Amino acid sequence: MTDNYKQLVERISQSTKLSVEDIERRIEAKRAKLSGLISLEGAAHVIAAELGIGLEKQNYKISELNLGMRKVIVLGKIIQIYPVKTYKKNGREGEIGSFMIADETGNIRVVLWDTNHIKKIKDNELKEGEVVEIMNADVRGTMNKEIHLNSFSKLEKSSVQIENVIINKPQRNEQISKISELKPDSFSNLRGTIVQVFQPAFFNVCPNCNMKVSFENEKAICPRHELVTPKERAILNMVVDDGTETIRTIAFTDQINELYGMIEDVELLKDPSFNTSKRAEVLGKEFVFSGKTRHNALFDRTEFIINRVREANPEEVIAELSKTVKISSTN
Ligand SMILES: [Zn+2]
């Protein structure tokens, strides 16, 4: 039994006031239930989560929030409340509420799915200028990050004061940019043809926060969550050409799935014949890529990290072309 494990048990015991023996019993039971497929440490993390205890930092500034983070705690000042909207999905109607919060580091949209949370907007219980604490929420989104609350999340007013919040709203950029005009560290949409696809590479991340794990004695360590059972992710490099220039474009598992029209199966990407056939499908095809430009210092080149990818539809291309024609004819 490792020291790490003992520490974990003690921390759970301290936070829950349950005895060490009781917690160890729960961990053993959990492990037995999972047929010993997880380590004692892994089982301890599961028990901690079930008991609602965070074993790591979960309090974040808005700028620290990253896509894929779960169960985060955020404090923010409400800077704008949007009207509650209704939506229809699979014949069912639902409501969705949202507002923007800000702190000293940035601002982010908060999305509410739970009727109890939405009621707070409808009843004018929440007001612009007030500070709220959000707990147990997930960070999602495509072009912009968003905080999503489910029925297990908490949304409460806070007496904490936040001064000097950043209130300029993130610009939703729906326009298509030219590769030759891309600026580093900015979100944009590209429309271009895939002209080269490299072999996918694989790496391991933390299942909780998607950060890359390091290995010590064959155990996976997350910088935030300590010992974890890692998840394997794929990365795919491509070259995209839009007629102005080419750019090295990077897709991770979710984006590869969008591109290849598959559900998550990293193993499948290791199959050479599968790769060859998928590569042949996308090569020479035009797509719209949404994502962020970053400078790769190692290779001294600009790369485009894809957040979303979809096939360019012909009407869009025609609309864009006619726009160009219009502009040139007025000149
Ligand atoms: Zn982690």
Side-chain angles (χ1 to χ4, degrees), residues 139-314:
V139 185
R140 293 201 235 154
T142 49
M143 285 301 285
N144 294 311
K145 288 176 234 171
E146 294 168 344
I147 300 174
H148 284 242
L149 277 72
N150 55 48
S151 43
F152 298 105
S153 313
K154 279 189 182 153
L155 169 64
E156 270 156 29
K157 284 192 202 185
S158 166
S159 56
V160 174
Q161 299 284 319
I162 306 179
E163 306 296 337
N164 305 321
V165 298
I166 297 182
I167 55 163
N168 57 317
K169 293 175 198 79
Q171 292 300 307
R172 214 165 231 280
N173 184 2
E174 302 287 3
Q175 275 175 311
I176 303 282
S177 305
K178 296 288 173 211
I179 294 175
S180 57
E181 292 162 358
L182 289 180
K183 291 176 193 75
D185 290 316
S186 63
F187 281 98
S188 38
N189 302 310
L190 302 180
R191 194 182 51 238
T193 305
I194 298 177
V195 293
Q196 202 174 349
V197 181
F198 296 89
Q199 284 298 331
F202 303 90
F203 61 102
N204 287 286
V205 298
C206 167
N208 307 311
C209 65
N210 280 327
M211 281 175 84
K212 218 167 176 168
V213 296
S214 57
F215 284 89
E216 284 169 34
N217 303 323
E218 291 178 9
K219 283 186 175 141
I221 314 284
C222 164
R224 250 190 200 125
H225 296 97
E226 299 171 8
L227 261 176
V228 292
T229 308
K231 208 165 67 175
E232 194 168 38
R233 309 283 289 163
I235 180 170
L236 184 70
N237 277 20
M238 294 172 287
V239 178
V240 171
D241 188 330
D242 75 346
T244 67
E245 242 173 62
T246 62
I247 191 164
R248 180 65 74 118
T249 309
I250 292 148
F252 291 97
T253 311
D254 292 346
Q255 293 73 30
I256 300 170
N257 288 342
E258 282 184 340
L259 181 70
Y260 283 175
M262 54 190 266
I263 49 167
E264 183 150 353
D265 192 346
V266 173
E267 287 304 315
L268 208 49
L269 290 169
K270 292 180 181 169
D271 176 356
S273 64
F274 176 82
N275 265 303
T276 307
S277 74
K278 283 296 175 186
R279 193 158 55 208
E281 271 177 34
V282 299
L283 266 176
K285 233 186 197 174
E286 197 172 37
F287 291 87
V288 175
F289 304 92
S290 305
K292 195 179 182 184
T293 337
R294 75 157 184 214
H295 183 251
N296 184 329
L298 190 63
F299 297 106
D300 190 28
R301 68 177 174 217
T302 303
E303 296 176 339
F304 192 76
I305 313 298
I306 306 172
N307 272 342
R308 284 196 68 184
V309 52
R310 60 183 169 82
E311 257 184 71
N313 70 56

